[in-house]
Amino acid sequence: MIPWLLLNLDITGSLLLIINFLGLDAVTFEPSFDVPMVNVTVKQGTTAILPCSVKFLGQHQVVWTDQWSTLLTFEDRRIIDDERLSVERPYTTDWNLHIRTVRHNDQGIYNCQVNTSPVKIKTVNLKVQVPAEIINKLSSDDVTAREGDTVTLVCNVTGIPMPTVTWHRHKSLEKDDVEKERIGVSGEVLIIHNVSRYCGGTYECVAFNGVPPAVNRHINVAVEFPPEIRLPNKRISQALRKETILECIVTAFPQEITIWTREGVQITNSFKYRVEIYAEEDHMIILSLRIRDLDYRDFGDYTCKASNRLGQDEERMNLYEHLDPKRPTTTLTPTTTPSMSDVTTVSWKYTRTYPPEVDSNPGNTVISQPNTIPRPTQIQTDQIPTGTSGHTLASKNAGSCCQFFISFLVITNTLTFLYHMGVVVS
């Protein structure tokens, strides 16, 4: 009885079992490949596995050749002197070719052949991708230029496929953080026309072709420019016997000479003076001058000077004495403070009668005209501020004006004196 249920098994295995069971030795099968052609893409430096699976091989043999028909392997043995190649057989039907540490020049057509008549061939197309790489000797190093120059930055790259190069500029943030600003051009060459000090900094080119990893290169651009000085304060005050600090901000590249001068003489460190430099942002410093125990000779102008091979600049700062606006005042407090109505307008005139003069001639008595003391001009008080004990009286004579302080107590004593002198007050 023929076991027809064996037909439900795998076609290849089933046919072999049926043939053996029936004793049909005259029927044979030709070797065959799973697929006639396959593409394999790998990254350079990895292991490339070129698959080749043969069914019904029988007594036939398998060899591998390259695109120039060079014999690479015979069955599972390596023929050429390249230790990177080997035949691996995870299964009995597999004759896979392994190429370790594959290189770009390994790329091409490989053939898995079975020595049938005619020869049966399975073609494997190997593609090797090369990650992006920057050629350092053909790329720009750090660049130094002057304002107004044209700067050309080159980032020469290679890779398969050809990488795309993008440019970024680093922007410094707070706390040593850096932000990359994308520059809106792509390509291996970046040209900066009419460069200024604000174009300086670190530029980064990034090359990537889809094959990890991406590579980058940093190029520092330094722009030289003459010094510029800025004063936080052009005038500063301080009291005698105190200490003060003068500061000027110098922006330049390169930073070469920065000094403080007084009357054309450079100020150096001493007991009196202390000159210090503090680095701030890129190309910026603060030049500080500390002056101790101020006296009158220290007040005046101080000059901050800076120079480099491109130019120079200077700014002048004035140091003056600080005076307390709240001065102490001295007031006179009268015993009796009259009201405003008591101090209005006071006018008086006074005359004095002298004894008659007797002429030397007897019987003739001559009465002289009375000598009249000139009447003083009218004295009128200014408006008296509330709460003050001393007041200002204005005495106005012809063409003259004087001001003096007088107490109401003095006015009272003056009137009493005039009364006893016989002056008539009206």
Side-chain angles (χ1 to χ4, degrees), residues 231-243:
L231 298 179
N233 300 288
K234 289 185 176 293
R235 301 184 73 241
I236 188 172
S237 67
Q238 182 58 286
L240 286 170
R241 304 306 171 195
K242 299 291 185 179
E243 180 180 287

Side-chain angles (χ1 to χ4, degrees), residues 304-358:
C304 177
K305 294 184 177 181
S307 63
N308 61 15
R309 58 178 174 267
L310 301 178
Q312 62 182 5
D313 192 18
E314 65 178 50
E315 289 290 340
R316 184 173 300 174
M317 181 180 292
N318 179 258
L319 174 63
Y320 62 95
E321 182 184 2
H322 176 74
L323 299 176
D324 189 355
K326 297 182 179 180
R327 293 178 173 271
T329 57
T330 303
T331 58
L332 299 176
T333 305
T335 304
T336 303
T337 303
S339 63
M340 186 65 73
S341 59
D342 295 334
V343 185
T344 54
T345 300
V346 180
S347 62
W348 63 84
K349 67 178 181 178
Y350 45 91
T351 59
R352 186 165 185 170
T353 304
Y354 293 89
E357 294 184 357
V358 179

Side-chain angles (χ1 to χ4, degrees), residues 81 114 124 150 154 163 177 192 233 243 265 312 366 402 406 424:
D81 188 18
V114 178
V124 179
T150 298
V154 178
D177 291 336
I192 307 174
N233 300 288
E243 180 180 287
V265 179
Q312 62 182 5
V366 180
C402 301
I406 186 169
V424 178

Side-chain angles (χ1 to χ4, degrees), residues 116-137:
T116 57
S117 181
V119 176
K120 292 189 175 181
I121 300 174
K122 176 180 180 178
T123 302
V124 179
N125 184 15
L126 175 63
K127 294 182 179 180
V128 180
Q129 292 183 334
V130 181
E133 180 182 359
I134 297 175
I135 305 174
N136 292 326
K137 63 181 180 181

Side-chain angles (χ1 to χ4, degrees), residues 213-234:
V215 291
N216 61 350
R217 180 181 179 85
H218 294 137
I219 304 173
N220 186 59
V221 177
V223 182
E224 295 181 338
F225 58 93
E228 289 185 358
I229 295 179
R230 179 172 61 87
L231 298 179
N233 300 288
K234 289 185 176 293

Side-chain angles (χ1 to χ4, degrees), residues 199-210:
C199 299
T202 301
Y203 289 79
E204 179 184 7
C205 64
V206 180
F208 187 60
N209 62 351

Side-chain angles (χ1 to χ4, degrees), residues 348 350 413-425:
W348 63 84
Y350 45 91
N413 292 337
T414 302
L415 295 177
T416 304
F417 171 76
L418 294 177
Y419 176 80
H420 287 291
M421 293 295 295
V423 178
V424 178
V425 180

